[in-house]
Amino acid sequence: MAAKESAAPPLNDVDIVHLAQRKQPSNSHQQSNVSLPQFLLSPHSHKDLLSYLHSRAASPSPSSAVCEYVISLLSLISLSPGTPTVCSLLSSLLSSYTQLFPSLPHDSNSLRAIKIFNTLLIHVPLEDLKLVIDLAASDLSGVVSVDDAQLFDLLPQCFELIRNAEEKGGDYVNSVVDKILDSKWSKGFLLKMVSIAKEFSFLDKTRGNEFLEKVFVGIKTVDLMDLPSLVYQLLVLASKGFNKREIIEGIVYFFGSESGSKMASTVRQVEGTVLLHVNFAVKQDPSLGKEVMGLVKSDLRAFNHFTVAVLLSVSRVRRFSESSMAVLKTALLTAYRDYKFTKECKWIPDDIKGEYLKSVKVVEKSVLRAVNESNYGREHMVPSILQFGFILLESVGEVNCKELGNSNGLLGIQELGIQMLKTLFEVHDIARNEIIEQIKFRILSLKPELSRPILRLLCYLIQCYPYPMMEHIPRLKELLDYFTFMDGKIASYLVSALLPLIRFSRDLRDYAILVVRKAVFRREDTVRVAATNSIIELILAEKQPNGDGLFSLQDSSSQASCSQQADIPCSMGGDLFQELSALLQRCLYQQAKVKQVVYQGLVKLVLADPAIGGLVFDFLLPHFLQFFKEGPDVQLGVSSCIKSENGKVLIQEPLDCLLSCISWILLLQTHGKTDKLLDSIGACFGFSLSQENEDGRNMSTKVFSGAFLKIRKFLRNANLEDILGQTHDASSAAVHEEKRKCSALILSGVIEVVLNTVAMDLEKAADQKVELEKEIMQFVDRHDSLAKEASTSRQSNACKRPNLRATAKDATDDIDSGNPQLIQEHSFFLATSSIYQLLLIALKLYSSESSDIEATSQNHSQSSSSKTSKSCFKIISFALNASLHHVKSSAAVGNEGPMKKLIYGEINMLGPPLLRLTVLLKPGSNVATSQRKNESKAKKDAEERKELLLLALFCLKEMITVSLCGSCLTHLLENLLSVPELEHADLHDECGQASEIDDQVIKNKELFVQKYLKPLLTDLMKLSAFRTVEILCDIMLMIGHKLPCKWRNSHGAWAIHMCKTNNTANSSIAKSMVRLAINLSSPPTDLLVAQEMLKELLRFIGPNNSDLSQVSEYLVVNQSTTIAIAYCLLQITDTVIIDMDWSTKKLKAASQVAQKTIHHNQNGEHNLGFTFEEIVYSRVKAVVEVLSSFVLMSLKDNQAEHFLRLTARFYKNLALISKLKIAPKGQKQLLPSLQFQKLVELTCKELTVPLYNFVAEMQQAQQENANSKGMINKIKRENKCIPELIFQIEDYEKHLIRLSKATKMNLLKHAKRSTCRDFKILDPTTTNVVGQDVPNNVGNDNDNDNENENENERCSDSEDGNNDGNGLDKVLSHEGESESDAVEDDGASVPTVKGVKRSRIVHDSDDDR
C-alpha cells in the first residue's frame, strides 16, 4: 500500500481544477460512486496543495485564480468530507484562506468561496474553528466596506457549532461577541453585522442593547443608498423577537432627528422606501405595528415627522387602520391639552411651560412636514392623510383651541386639519375627488356644530384653488340639492362658501338661485330664513369688486384648463337684484323672522353699493305704505303688524326693523351719493337712465325721508295710549292684553330707531344741541313707559325681542344662550356712536343734578328735584342697558365686516363714559352726597343708584371680557386711563411704580388696577355693596391673571392685607376677597394663605370654638362669614386637586420613559423631570396641610360630603404617586427621595389619623339625629363616599407597604390601622347584640398601633391584611350581602352577625369601637 501511495503521481493546481470538473457528479446517484485520487487522500500532499493556493494568490489576477482553485479543491473535499485526512486538509485550507483573505480582492469570487466553506464547517474541528474566529476578529480596522467583512459570514455557523459541542462554548462565544462590541465599527462592518445578527439567537438582552447601540451610533455614517437595506435587515431582526421596541425606537429617532435629514431631496426618497419596508414588515409581523403605537403612546418625545409618516403608513394595514389614527389623534390632543393646562397653571415654572410649548410646536410641524413630503414615494399614505385630516376637523370640539390658535404661533387643531387637506388637494390630483366626496358626505351626515370646520375647509379650497374646483361643480350641485334638508345656518354657510366659485360659473350661480327659490316656498321657518340669507349673499357677491375677489387670480393662475376657461366669463353685470326682487318680494309676505333677514340684507346691499339705494327704496315703498298712512294725522299701523292665530298673538310685521332699515339706508345715501349715481346699473341693460328715471327714484327717497321725519314728530307728540288702544277688538281680554304688549314692544323698537337717528344728529349738530338733548330725553321717557307696558311679555309667545329695561342678568343670559334673533334685531337699532351720545347726556345730567338739587332744596321745592332725578335715572338706565346689550352682541356678531363697522364701530369708545358714570354713581361721591331729600325718597334713590352702579360695573366687566377675547384690551385700557383717577392716599406710591414700567401693555393694566379698581374696591367694601364687590373682584382677577408674576403677587399681597384689616359681616364680600387674595398669590403663597385662614376658621367651627376673645389675624374671618369662607376654600382646594390629577398623569408618563432605554441624549430632560417631580411633591404637601385643617372642623351637610369626596380623589392620586416609586420587575429599585418620605410622614400623621376621627364623629352625629328630616338621604350619599374614601386610603397604604418591602425602609411607622372598615345599616334593637363581639378583638388593634414593633414584621402583616383587596369592594359597599371581614394581623376574624335587620342608621363596626 505504501508503494502504491509513493507511486501516486503528484497533481498541480491545474490538474486539480480539471479533476474537479471531471469528477463533478451529474446527479445524486453518481455521487456515491465517485472516489478521490490518492494524492488528495495523502497527508503529505497537503503542503503542496496549500502552496498552490499561495502561488495563485501572488498571480496578477488573484481573485479569479484563487477562487477557481479553492472552489475546485472544496468540491473535491465535499466528495468525502468525513475522511480524517480530508478533514485535516479542509481545516488547513480554511486557515490558510483566512490568513490570505485580507490580501485578496474582496468581490463576488471571494464570496462564493466563503459560502462553500460555510457548508463544510461542520467537518472542521472546534479548535480550528476558534482559530478562524480569532483570526477574523483579531483586526477589525481593516474592515472598511461590506465586502471586507465577507469572512464574518462564517461566524453564525461557527458560533452555533461551538455552543453545541462544548459545555463552555457559550462563554467563548460571548467573549468573542464582547470583543467585537468593544471594537470600533466601520460602516461596512456595521452593515455586515446587521445582516448576520438575525442568526445570533444566543444574544441576551444586555448584549442585544449594546449591539443596537453600536448600530444606531454608526448608522449616521452609512451611505443613504444603504439605509433601506439596513432598515430592512433590522426589521427582519425585530420580527424574530430581537429587542423589537429598541429597534423601532432607533429607526424612528434616527429618521426623525435632524441628523437623519441631511441631503433633504435624497433622504425623502430614502425615507419613502423605508416606509414601504416598515409597511411590509408590519403586514408580516403585526407585533411590530403594536410596538410603533406603543412607542408613541408611552413617550410623546418620540413624536416626529417620521413617526407620523410611519403611523400613516401602518394605518394602510387593515388591522391597524383605526388604532393608528387613534394614536395620532390622541398624541395631538394630549399635546394641546398639556400646553393649555400648563399655560393657565400658575404653579408650574416657566421652563416647564416652555417645554410643553416646544412640544406642541414640534407636533404641529411634524404633522405638516409628513404631509408636505407625501409625494416622495409615499403615495400609499395619501388615503391615510386624507382620513386623518378629516378626523382632526371632527375633533375640534374636544379641545378648545381658539385662544391657542393665535398665541405663540400655534395653528390649533382646526387649522392644522385644514392645512393638511389643502396640501393634499394641491399636491395629489388623485386625492381631489375623494376630498370633495368626503366634504359632501360629512356636511350632510355630521351635526351642525361638527360640520362647520368642514365648510371652512370647502371655503378655503374654493378661495385658494378655484380652477381645480371647477372640475367638481357637479358634486357641489349635488350638495346644493340637500339645501332644504340641512340645518338653516349650515345651508347659509354652504352658499356663502360657494360664492367665489359662483362668480366663475354662471351654471353654478343659476343652479344655486334655483335651489334657494325652491327653498323660499318650504314650510319650515329655518329653511326660509336660510334661503333668504342666501339670496342676499348672492346679490352681495355681485357687488364685490373684481379686483378684491378671485378674478385677481385669473392672470396669475396657470391651473385652468381650456374647458374651465370656457366657463369662466360669467357676467356679473349688476342686474341680479332686479332679477331676484320678485323673490325678495315674496319673502315680505312670510314670517317676521324672514322679513328681518330681508331688512338686514337690504342695508348690507346699500352699504356695499350706496348707488343702489334708490332701487331698494322703490322695492320697499309699496310694503311700507301698508303701515304708514299720510294725511292730516299720521297713522302708524302698529295694529296691522300683529295677528292672532288659535288664541296666540304673533308679531307679523317687525315694523321697528323696517324703520331701522330705512333709517340706515337714508344715512348711507347721504354719505354715499356720487355724481355717477346709477350709471353703472343702467349700463348693464344697454341704456342710460333718463331724467324721468332719476326723478322717480329721487321721489321714493324723498317719500321715505319725509315719512321718517313725520314719524319722528308723531312719536314725540302723540298719545301712546291711543296707538296701543288701536288693538281693541272683539277678542278675549287675554288676547287683547297680549296685543297691547306686542304693540308696546314694536313701538319701543321704533323709538330706539328714532333715538339712534336723533343721537347721530346730535353728534353732527353745531347748534340746537339743547333741543336735540331734550328730544332724546322725551323719547327715553316714552321708551320707559312702553317698557313697563311690555314688562310681562317675556313669558308671552308674542315676545320676539327682550326689553332693554330688563335686568343685566336677563340680557346676558339671552345672549349667552346664543339667541341669534336677539342679536339680529337689536344690532340695528342703536349704533355705538348713538350709545356714546346717550352716555354723555347721562353724565351731563347726573353731574348737573347736584347744583340743581342744592338750589331747589334752599327754596324747599322737592317736586322739580324729584322730576329731574327721575328723568336722570331713566336715561342712565336706558344707556347702560343699551351699552350692555351692545357689548355682548358685538362679541356674538363674529368677524369684522362693513356691517359690523357700521353698527359697532370703535366700541371701546364706550369705556371712558362708562367708567366716569361708575365713579359718579359710587356712594360717597360728590354728586351722591349733595342730595338732601326726605328719608324715604333718599332711600329709594340710593337703592336705584346701587342698581345702576351694578349695571355700569357689569358693562365694564363685559367690555373687558370681550376685549380679552379679541386681543384689544390694551386699546380699551388706554381709553379708560384718560378718565381722571380716583383719589386714594394709600395708592400714590404704587401708581408711581407702575408709571415706570417700560412695557406699555403691562403698564396700562397695572395703572388701571391701581388708579380705579383698588380705590373702588376699597370704598365699596366699606359700604358692604356685595354685588359690586363681586364684579370688581372678577375684573381684577381677569386683568391680574394677564400680569407678570411680580405685579400679580403685589395685588395678591394687597388683597391679603384687605382681608386682614377689613371686618365685614357680608359673606359674599368675604368670599370674593378670599378668592381674590388666594388666586392672585403665586405658589406656595396661595396655599399658605389658605392655611392661615383655615387656622382662623378653626376658632369658630373647630372643636374648641368657645374662646373667641382673641383678635383674629384675618378680620374677614368672623362668625358671620365662616360658612362662606370654608366653602370658598374647599372650592380652591378642589381646583388644586384637579391640577394634581394632571400632574400625576405626567409623573406616570415620565416614570415610564425613565424605565426604558432611549437612544438619544436625555440628561437635560431627566433633570427637568426630576425638578417637576419635586415641585409636585411640594404642592401635594401643601394640599395635605390644607386638608389637615379641614379635618379638624365641624363641617356640616354638603360641605362635609364635598370634603370627603375631594379627599378620596386626593388619596387616589397619592396611591398612584406611591405606585410609581416601585420599580418594575427586573429594574433596580431606587430609594424614595427625602421629600417623598416627608410627604408620606406628614400625610399619615396630619391627615390620615385625624380623618378616621372625622368620619367617626360625623357618623355619631348622624346617629344622634337619625330621625331628623333629610338625614336618610345624607346617609345614603355618605354610604357611597365614605367607603370610597377608606378604599383609596388603604390602596395608598398598600403601595406604601410594597415600597417599604422593596426599599427595606419603613414608610408606615406613623400610619394607623383603619377604624372605619365596616359600614353596616343596623337596627337599633340589635346594637347590643353586635356590641358583644367587641372584647374579642380590641387588643389586636392596640397591638397593631404599636410604633415600636419590628419593621419587617409590620410590613409583612400589613400586606397580609391587604391580601383581601379583591373582596374589598364587597366589604365597603353598603349593598354587600356579607358582613365578614378578615383584617387582623394575627389572622383572627371578626365574628359574623347574620340575620341582623338593617335600619337607616350607619354604625361603626364592632372592632372599631
Side-chain angles (χ1 to χ4, degrees):
M1 185 68 182
K4 288 183 179 180
E5 288 181 359
S6 60
L11 300 175
N12 57 25
D13 55 339
V14 177
D15 295 335
I16 291 174
V17 171
H18 289 290
L19 180 62
Q21 294 174 351
R22 290 197 308 270
K23 292 186 175 292
Q24 184 70 27
S26 58
N27 52 55
S28 58
H29 176 72
Q30 294 176 349
Q31 186 172 356
S32 59
N33 299 327
V34 177
S35 61
L36 291 176
Q38 292 299 322
F39 180 77
L40 294 179
L41 296 174
S42 172
H44 301 291
S45 64
H46 293 178
K47 184 177 180 180
D48 295 334
L49 293 174
L50 295 178
S51 65
Y52 299 154
L53 175 64
H54 288 280
S55 62
R56 283 190 171 239
S59 64
S61 56
S63 175
S64 57
V66 170
C67 176
E68 182 184 37
Y69 177 72
V70 169
I71 291 176
S72 299
L73 191 56
L74 288 176
S75 64
L76 293 174
I77 292 174
S78 64
L79 298 176
S80 182
T83 305
T85 55
V86 175
C87 287
S88 175
L89 175 61
L90 177 61
S91 299
S92 301
L93 181 62
L94 177 60
S95 176
S96 298
Y97 187 82
T98 304
Q99 294 175 358
L100 284 174
F101 183 80
S103 61
L104 294 174
H106 305 147
D107 51 17
S108 59
N109 292 327
S110 59
L111 184 61
R112 288 171 54 203
I114 290 174
K115 286 182 178 179
I116 298 177
F117 272 121
N118 207 9
T119 61
L120 300 174
L121 288 179
I122 192 173
H123 303 291
V124 179
L126 294 181
E127 294 302 324
D128 294 333
L129 288 178
K130 292 181 180 179
L131 177 61
V132 170
I133 293 173
D134 293 337
L135 287 173
S138 60
D139 184 17
L140 297 180
S141 59
V143 180
V144 177
S145 64
V146 180
D147 292 336
D148 295 341
Q150 290 176 354
L151 205 58
F152 283 85
D153 288 338
L154 302 175
L155 259 61
Q157 182 74 0
C158 293
F159 286 161
E160 189 67 23
L161 292 173
I162 293 173
R163 285 173 55 84
N164 295 335
E166 293 183 352
E167 183 178 354
K168 296 185 178 181
D171 296 337
Y172 171 78
V173 171
N174 289 335
S175 65
V176 174
V177 172
D178 292 339
K179 181 180 179 181
I180 294 175
L181 293 176
D182 292 338
S183 61
K184 185 177 180 180
W185 290 11
S186 64
K187 60 181 180 181
F189 185 70
L190 184 147
L191 294 172
K192 177 57 70 175
M193 288 300 297
V194 171
S195 65
I196 64 175
K198 58 181 176 290
E199 301 180 40
F200 292 166
S201 58
F202 55 85
L203 286 182
D204 54 17
K205 187 76 173 179
T206 302
R207 289 185 175 86
N209 288 335
E210 293 179 7
F211 170 78
L212 292 178
E213 184 177 355
K214 296 284 288 186
V215 170
F216 289 113
V217 168
I219 196 173
K220 300 175 183 179
T221 63
V222 175
D223 296 335
L224 285 176
M225 294 299 104
D226 293 330
L227 286 176
S229 60
L230 175 63
V231 171
Y232 182 81
Q233 294 294 339
L234 288 172
L235 292 173
V236 172
L237 187 62
S239 65
K240 294 184 176 295
F242 184 89
N243 296 32
K244 293 184 179 181
R245 174 61 64 87
E246 287 76 11
I247 290 177
I248 297 298
E249 281 183 4
I251 295 173
V252 166
Y253 282 122
F254 170 71
F255 286 100
S257 64
E258 293 299 327
S259 58
S261 300
K262 56 185 178 180
M263 299 176 62
S265 60
T266 307
V267 78
R268 291 176 184 174
Q269 299 288 349
V270 173
E271 288 180 0
T273 307
V274 170
L275 289 172
L276 289 174
H277 289 334
V278 173
N279 181 276
F280 178 76
V282 170
K283 288 179 181 178
Q284 301 300 314
D285 184 7
S287 63
L288 294 179
K290 295 180 180 179
E291 292 296 338
V292 173
M293 289 180 285
L295 173 63
V296 180
K297 284 182 181 178
S298 62
D299 186 10
L300 190 60
R301 294 175 302 175
F303 200 96
N304 52 55
H305 76 280
F306 190 75
T307 309
V308 177
V310 168
L311 287 172
L312 291 173
S313 178
V314 169
S315 67
R316 297 304 300 150
V317 181
R318 180 175 300 179
R319 183 171 182 175
F320 297 104
S321 59
E322 294 183 1
S323 55
S324 294
M325 293 297 170
V327 169
L328 273 174
K329 174 185 171 182
T330 303
L332 269 172
L333 295 181
T334 301
Y336 282 118
R337 289 191 183 113
D338 290 346
Y339 168 67
K340 188 174 184 293
F341 177 86
T342 54
K343 181 184 177 183
E344 299 172 353
C345 186
K346 60 182 182 180
W347 59 267
I348 294 180
D350 291 338
D351 53 349
I352 296 180
K353 292 182 179 181
E355 285 296 320
Y356 280 101
L357 174 60
K358 180 181 177 182
S359 175
V360 72
K361 285 185 176 181
V362 167
V363 167
E364 285 189 347
K365 292 179 180 178
S366 299
V367 173
L368 290 178
R369 181 176 173 182
V371 176
N372 291 333
E373 296 177 356
S374 61
N375 58 335
Y376 290 89
R378 313 178 194 190
E379 285 74 13
H380 69 288
M381 293 166 38
V382 170
S384 299
I385 296 173
L386 189 148
Q387 180 185 358
F388 184 58
F390 281 104
I391 287 175
L392 290 184
L393 292 182
E394 293 178 11
S395 306
V396 170
E398 298 184 27
V399 177
N400 185 10
C401 294
K402 287 185 177 180
E403 67 240 16
L404 303 182
N406 296 323
S407 64
N408 298 313
L410 297 180
L411 293 175
I413 293 181
Q414 178 175 323
E415 190 63 30
L416 183 62
I418 290 175
Q419 289 293 338
M420 288 179 62
L421 294 170
K422 281 174 60 179
T423 302
L424 205 64
F425 189 89
E426 179 182 6
V427 175
H428 297 280
D429 295 348
I430 58 174
R432 293 177 180 175
N433 289 334
E434 184 62 24
I435 290 176
I436 301 300
E437 196 64 33
Q438 288 294 323
I439 288 174
K440 172 188 167 184
F441 170 74
R442 293 171 191 271
I443 288 176
L444 296 177
S445 60
L446 293 178
K447 295 180 179 179
E449 59 271 14
L450 294 179
S451 59
R452 289 189 181 183
I454 311 297
L455 277 169
R456 190 179 176 196
L457 168 65
L458 177 62
C459 186
Y460 274 141
L461 293 179
I462 292 174
Q463 290 178 352
C464 299
Y465 311 106
Y467 294 110
M469 287 297 296
M470 296 284 289
E471 299 178 358
H472 305 283
I473 285 180
R475 285 192 174 88
L476 298 178
K477 286 183 178 180
E478 294 175 5
L479 187 57
L480 280 174
D481 288 336
Y482 292 91
F483 184 93
T484 56
F485 302 98
M486 296 181 188
D487 176 79
K489 292 183 178 179
I490 298 302
S492 298
Y493 295 157
L494 174 61
V495 175
S496 299
L498 295 177
L499 287 178
L501 202 60
I502 287 174
R503 300 186 65 188
F504 279 79
S505 172
R506 178 181 293 276
D507 181 39
L508 183 60
R509 189 194 74 170
D510 294 342
Y511 198 83
I513 293 174
L514 178 63
V515 167
V516 297
R517 189 187 298 272
K518 291 180 180 179
V520 167
F521 294 91
R522 294 285 293 188
R523 181 175 299 177
E524 299 85 355
D525 292 347
T526 56
V527 177
R528 292 183 177 184
V529 171
T532 308
N533 270 320
S534 300
I535 294 170
I536 299 297
E537 292 295 330
L538 286 168
I539 300 174
L540 278 174
E542 179 190 42
K543 302 300 178 184
Q544 293 179 357
N546 291 346
D548 296 338
L550 290 174
F551 283 108
S552 58
L553 300 176
Q554 268 185 328
D555 298 333
S556 59
S557 177
S558 59
Q559 303 178 28
S561 63
C562 297
S563 60
Q564 294 168 351
Q565 291 179 354
D567 195 24
I568 284 176
C570 174
S571 174
M572 308 290 286
D575 59 334
L576 196 56
F577 174 72
Q578 292 190 345
E579 181 181 338
L580 298 179
S581 60
L583 191 58
L584 286 175
Q585 195 73 37
R586 176 70 174 85
C587 296
L588 294 180
Y589 292 92
Q590 296 188 1
Q591 292 86 350
K593 294 180 180 180
V594 179
K595 295 178 183 180
Q596 291 170 12
V597 174
V598 173
Y599 300 148
Q600 180 180 358
L602 293 176
V603 177
K604 290 181 180 179
L605 289 177
V606 178
L607 186 61
D609 183 11
I612 204 175
L615 290 174
V616 174
F617 276 151
D618 290 344
F619 170 79
L620 285 175
L621 186 57
H623 183 71
F624 173 72
L625 292 177
Q626 297 178 20
F627 309 99
F628 177 78
K629 304 298 181 183
E630 189 173 4
D633 295 326
V634 174
Q635 296 182 9
L636 199 61
V638 178
S639 59
S640 58
C641 298
I642 304 166
K643 69 174 182 178
S644 59
E645 292 181 355
N646 301 324
K648 294 182 179 180
V649 179
L650 301 174
I651 295 179
Q652 186 177 12
E653 174 60 42
L655 186 60
D656 47 2
C657 296
L658 174 59
L659 290 176
S660 177
C661 171
I662 293 170
S663 67
W664 280 116
I665 295 175
L666 288 172
L667 177 68
L668 293 173
Q669 274 201 313
T670 303
H671 292 281
K673 187 174 287 188
T674 59
D675 293 336
K676 53 186 177 182
L677 224 72
L678 299 179
D679 291 343
S680 59
I681 298 179
C684 72
F685 293 99
F687 60 86
S688 299
L689 290 174
S690 65
Q691 186 64 33
E692 294 179 359
N693 298 128
E694 292 190 26
D695 291 342
R697 216 167 298 287
N698 291 334
M699 184 179 299
S700 61
T701 304
K702 292 178 182 179
V703 170
F704 277 107
S705 179
F708 193 81
L709 291 175
K710 291 178 181 179
I711 292 173
R712 175 175 168 180
K713 183 178 179 181
F714 168 74
L715 291 176
R716 184 177 180 181
N717 301 321
N719 185 358
L720 296 181
E721 185 62 31
D722 295 339
I723 303 177
L724 296 177
Q726 295 175 4
T727 60
H728 182 70
D729 53 22
S731 58
S732 64
V735 173
H736 172 65
E737 184 64 23
E738 290 297 326
K739 287 186 176 181
R740 281 183 61 87
K741 294 174 182 178
C742 290
S743 299
L745 194 64
I746 293 174
L747 277 178
S748 64
V750 173
I751 289 178
E752 292 171 23
V753 174
V754 175
L755 269 173
N756 185 61
T757 305
V758 178
M760 288 186 173
D761 292 342
L762 176 62
E763 181 182 9
K764 296 179 289 186
D767 51 6
Q768 298 182 348
K769 288 192 175 184
V770 177
E771 290 78 3
L772 290 174
E773 289 178 358
K774 289 181 179 179
E775 186 177 2
I776 288 175
M777 294 176 64
Q778 290 178 356
F779 281 123
V780 169
D781 185 67
R782 287 179 171 267
H783 188 279
D784 183 72
S785 301
L786 291 169
K788 292 177 181 178
E789 184 71 31
S791 59
T792 59
S793 64
R794 296 180 65 83
Q795 288 79 28
S796 170
N797 292 331
C799 178
K800 299 300 181 182
R801 174 174 51 82
N803 184 8
L804 281 180
R805 288 282 293 173
T807 63
K809 183 178 184 302
D810 291 337
T812 53
D813 288 345
D814 285 336
I815 298 171
D816 288 336
S817 65
N819 187 351
Q821 185 177 0
L822 177 67
I823 297 168
Q824 285 179 3
E825 295 176 21
H826 255 79
S827 59
F828 277 93
F829 296 159
L830 289 170
T832 301
S833 59
S834 301
I835 297 175
Y836 180 76
Q837 293 299 322
L838 291 174
L839 289 172
L840 293 181
I841 295 174
L843 282 170
K844 180 180 177 181
L845 286 176
Y846 197 75
S847 300
S848 63
E849 187 182 359
S850 173
S851 57
D852 294 341
I853 292 174
E854 185 175 357
T856 54
S857 62
Q858 293 176 358
N859 298 325
H860 305 284
S861 175
Q862 294 292 334
S863 60
S864 61
S865 173
S866 176
K867 184 177 180 180
T868 304
S869 176
K870 186 176 181 181
S871 177
C872 181
F873 286 158
K874 282 182 180 179
I875 193 169
I876 292 175
S877 177
F878 180 83
L880 290 178
N881 277 288
S883 300
L884 177 62
H885 180 276
H886 200 66
V887 172
K888 293 287 288 185
S889 62
S890 68
V893 166
N895 297 329
E896 292 290 338
M899 198 66 187
K900 185 172 183 179
K901 291 180 181 178
L902 175 68
I903 305 299
Y904 296 97
E906 188 61 39
I907 198 169
N908 288 336
M909 68 188 299
L910 301 179
L914 282 173
L915 183 57
R916 285 199 294 268
L917 197 56
T918 301
V919 174
L920 290 177
L921 289 170
K922 180 177 65 69
S925 63
N926 295 333
V927 176
T929 57
S930 64
Q931 301 186 20
R932 300 290 185 268
K933 302 182 180 181
N934 58 58
E935 185 176 351
S936 60
K937 178 64 67 175
K939 185 176 180 181
K940 181 179 179 181
D941 287 351
E943 290 298 325
E944 189 163 359
R945 190 180 297 109
K946 286 183 180 179
E947 293 296 326
L948 294 176
L949 175 61
L950 177 67
L951 191 55
L953 283 174
F954 200 86
C955 290
L956 275 176
K957 177 186 173 183
E958 293 306 318
M959 284 199 72
I960 293 173
T961 303
V962 171
S963 299
L964 282 173
C965 297
S967 302
C968 54
L969 179 62
T970 302
H971 184 46
L972 173 63
L973 293 181
E974 288 177 355
N975 292 340
L976 293 176
L977 289 173
S978 63
V979 178
E981 63 182 281
L982 298 176
E983 294 294 334
H984 207 281
D986 298 337
L987 300 174
H988 284 305
D989 295 339
E990 296 181 2
C991 290
Q993 294 177 3
S995 301
E996 299 175 358
I997 301 176
D998 296 330
D999 191 330
Q1000 190 64 36
V1001 176
I1002 299 175
K1003 180 180 178 180
N1004 291 339
K1005 296 174 184 176
E1006 186 67 19
L1007 286 175
F1008 180 70
V1009 173
Q1010 298 289 357
K1011 289 184 177 182
Y1012 305 104
L1013 294 185
K1014 286 185 178 180
L1016 281 172
L1017 199 53
T1018 303
D1019 295 340
L1020 292 173
M1021 279 188 65
K1022 295 177 182 178
L1023 299 171
S1024 296
F1026 66 95
R1027 290 188 294 176
T1028 54
V1029 170
E1030 288 177 356
I1031 295 177
L1032 283 172
C1033 288
D1034 291 339
I1035 295 174
M1036 197 165 177
L1037 274 176
M1038 285 191 298
I1039 298 178
H1041 285 317
K1042 300 297 180 180
L1043 288 171
C1045 183
K1046 172 186 174 182
W1047 300 103
R1048 185 173 64 246
N1049 287 338
S1050 67
H1051 301 315
W1054 175 84
I1056 294 171
H1057 174 73
M1058 295 293 291
C1059 291
K1060 290 181 177 180
T1061 57
N1062 284 270
N1063 186 2
T1064 178
N1066 189 287
S1067 58
S1068 297
I1069 293 178
K1071 184 170 64 174
S1072 299
M1073 290 307 300
V1074 168
R1075 185 166 59 93
L1076 183 67
I1078 295 177
N1079 288 336
L1080 289 183
S1081 300
S1082 297
T1085 308
D1086 54 348
L1087 292 186
L1088 290 176
V1089 174
Q1091 294 170 31
E1092 294 174 357
M1093 291 184 177
L1094 286 169
K1095 290 179 182 178
E1096 297 295 330
L1097 282 175
L1098 284 172
R1099 297 177 57 243
F1100 298 94
I1101 55 177
N1104 301 318
N1105 56 358
S1106 57
D1107 184 16
L1108 301 177
S1109 59
Q1110 185 179 359
V1111 179
S1112 175
E1113 181 182 1
Y1114 288 86
L1115 295 180
V1116 75
V1117 181
N1118 51 60
Q1119 192 68 44
S1120 303
T1121 61
T1122 51
I1123 296 177
I1125 293 178
Y1127 181 72
C1128 177
L1129 294 176
L1130 272 174
Q1131 286 182 319
I1132 292 173
T1133 307
D1134 200 354
T1135 59
V1136 177
I1137 293 177
I1138 291 174
D1139 293 348
M1140 274 188 61
D1141 296 340
W1142 177 87
S1143 58
T1144 305
K1145 293 176 183 177
K1146 294 297 111 178
L1147 285 178
K1148 180 179 179 180
S1151 175
Q1152 292 174 348
V1153 172
Q1155 291 163 4
K1156 66 179 184 177
T1157 302
I1158 299 182
H1159 303 287
H1160 65 286
N1161 186 14
Q1162 294 179 337
N1163 294 331
E1165 294 177 359
H1166 277 305
N1167 293 336
L1168 195 62
F1170 178 77
T1171 304
F1172 179 70
E1173 184 177 359
E1174 295 299 315
I1175 293 171
V1176 172
Y1177 290 160
S1178 175
R1179 194 68 174 168
V1180 174
K1181 182 180 177 183
V1183 175
V1184 172
E1185 293 173 346
V1186 170
L1187 293 177
S1188 64
S1189 298
F1190 276 114
V1191 81
L1192 299 177
M1193 295 181 183
S1194 301
L1195 299 176
K1196 302 297 182 183
D1197 302 336
N1198 293 336
Q1199 288 188 352
E1201 183 183 350
H1202 187 190
F1203 170 72
L1204 291 176
R1205 292 188 184 279
L1206 66 89
T1207 306
R1209 285 169 40 214
F1210 176 72
Y1211 273 102
K1212 183 178 182 180
N1213 286 312
L1214 285 180
L1216 182 56
I1217 292 174
S1218 302
K1219 184 179 180 180
L1220 295 176
K1221 303 300 293 183
I1222 304 173
K1225 188 175 181 180
Q1227 300 286 340
K1228 181 181 179 181
Q1229 177 65 55
L1230 301 177
L1231 292 177
S1233 64
L1234 182 61
Q1235 193 166 1
F1236 178 79
Q1237 298 177 40
K1238 291 181 178 179
L1239 172 62
V1240 172
E1241 179 181 349
L1242 181 68
T1243 305
C1244 293
K1245 293 171 63 176
E1246 301 294 333
L1247 185 58
T1248 307
V1249 174
L1251 195 57
Y1252 292 139
N1253 299 330
F1254 177 85
V1255 174
E1257 292 175 2
M1258 187 174 66
Q1259 289 188 314
Q1260 183 66 30
Q1262 290 177 357
Q1263 295 174 17
E1264 295 173 356
N1265 301 286
N1267 296 325
S1268 62
K1269 185 178 180 180
M1271 184 57 65
I1272 298 176
N1273 292 331
K1274 283 193 290 184
I1275 291 175
K1276 289 181 179 179
R1277 291 197 305 267
E1278 289 166 2
N1279 273 345
K1280 297 178 181 178
C1281 61
I1282 294 178
E1284 174 67 17
L1285 171 62
I1286 302 303
F1287 171 77
Q1288 297 298 342
I1289 292 175
E1290 295 190 345
D1291 189 45
Y1292 164 60
E1293 292 178 347
K1294 178 185 72 174
H1295 294 302
L1296 289 181
I1297 292 170
R1298 293 177 55 199
L1299 184 59
S1300 298
K1301 278 189 171 185
T1303 59
K1304 308 301 181 184
M1305 180 183 296
N1306 187 8
L1307 298 173
L1308 284 171
K1309 58 184 177 182
H1310 298 287
K1312 179 183 178 182
R1313 169 67 64 185
S1314 169
T1315 59
C1316 302
R1317 290 179 58 84
D1318 300 332
F1319 303 93
K1320 306 177 181 123
I1321 302 178
L1322 305 176
D1323 186 73
T1325 60
T1326 62
T1327 303
N1328 293 332
V1329 177
V1330 179
Q1332 295 175 3
D1333 298 326
V1334 174
N1336 296 330
N1337 300 287
V1338 172
N1340 293 330
D1341 285 339
N1342 294 333
D1343 293 339
N1344 290 334
D1345 292 336
N1346 185 0
E1347 297 182 1
N1348 297 323
E1349 64 181 330
N1350 182 268
E1351 175 181 323
N1352 295 331
E1353 180 182 353
R1354 175 169 178 78
C1355 293
S1356 176
D1357 292 344
S1358 300
E1359 183 151 304
D1360 292 341
N1362 283 277
N1363 287 337
D1364 297 328
N1366 294 334
L1368 195 57
D1369 293 337
K1370 293 182 179 180
V1371 174
L1372 299 181
S1373 174
H1374 66 284
E1375 298 177 353
E1377 296 295 334
S1378 175
E1379 310 295 341
S1380 63
D1381 184 19
V1383 296
E1384 296 303 324
D1385 294 340
D1386 58 359
S1389 61
V1390 181
T1392 303
V1393 181
K1394 297 185 177 179
V1396 178
K1397 183 179 179 180
R1398 300 190 176 191
S1399 180
R1400 296 173 178 174
I1401 306 173
V1402 176
H1403 292 272
D1404 294 339
S1405 62
D1406 305 332
D1407 54 8
D1408 297 337
R1409 300 192 176 187

